[in-house]
Amino acid sequence: MTRAFRLLVPAALLVFAVFYLREAGDIRVLYDTGPVGPADFPKVLVAALVVCLGFVLVGEWRGRNEALEPIAPGDLRVVGLVLLIAALYVALFPRIGFPLSTFALSMGLLLTFSRSALGLGKALVQAVAITLAVYVLFGFVFDVRLPPTPFLDGILASGGEA
């Protein structure tokens, strides 16, 4: 595989980053109360992507010429599962809320990336830790107003009326 061909993916990701940043600027922000708001998140993602692409481009420019391993069917399965898990997260997020959907996303990604070698118990504990860390980070540190959790809010509201 030629160096120019290997640079196609980073170039495509750079084009995607520019498009994403441009489109993200058009998103209407409902709540912007903290020092870091929802409008800043796309900027952080694009900055991280550009930094990572910089490392890739420097590595390619330095002339790594080792042979690339062919893509195995198991690798394609992992990519497909990650896309499916991400799509389910987007679909479930408004229905079951932030905590449950983020837990399911974390659990699914942990099991997928470890190829089930992590074990269900460890994955469960780590998914809970990830969910709590993300909740604390966004809900308290960045002071981002997280969407309500319809399922849990219904249970808590009916429990308080009794």
Side-chain angles (χ1 to χ4, degrees):
M1 187 179 304
T2 67
R3 181 177 292 156
F5 186 73
R6 291 193 320 219
L7 291 177
L8 285 177
V9 170
L13 285 172
L14 193 57
V15 169
F16 170 76
V18 169
F19 177 75
Y20 175 72
L21 188 61
R22 186 176 145 293
E23 291 296 315
D26 294 338
I27 296 173
R28 188 176 68 129
V29 177
L30 298 176
Y31 304 102
D32 194 7
T33 58
V36 178
D40 296 320
F41 189 67
K43 295 172 188 170
V44 171
L45 285 178
V46 168
L49 178 62
V50 168
V51 168
C52 292
L53 287 174
F55 283 111
V56 169
L57 293 174
V58 166
E60 288 297 326
W61 192 262
R62 286 186 175 175
R64 287 188 333 210
N65 288 325
E66 69 265 6
L68 298 175
E69 293 181 29
I71 296 174
D75 297 335
L76 293 176
R77 188 179 137 266
V78 168
V79 170
L81 282 172
V82 168
L83 291 174
L84 177 66
I85 291 167
L88 286 172
Y89 179 70
V90 170
L92 291 176
F93 190 83
R95 289 173 180 80
I96 64 174
F98 176 82
L100 295 175
S101 60
T102 303
F103 171 77
L105 172 75
S106 301
M107 185 76 160
L109 290 178
L110 285 168
L111 291 173
T112 300
F113 286 130
S114 73
R115 298 187 187 209
S116 299
L118 189 60
L120 191 58
K122 284 184 180 180
L124 234 155
V125 169
Q126 290 181 12
V128 167
I130 290 169
T131 303
L132 287 174
V134 171
Y135 185 79
V136 167
L137 183 68
F138 284 103
F140 297 105
V141 176
F142 292 145
D143 198 27
V144 174
R145 186 173 175 156
L146 297 171
T149 306
F151 177 74
L152 290 178
D153 290 346
I155 290 173
L156 294 175
S158 66
E161 294 173 3

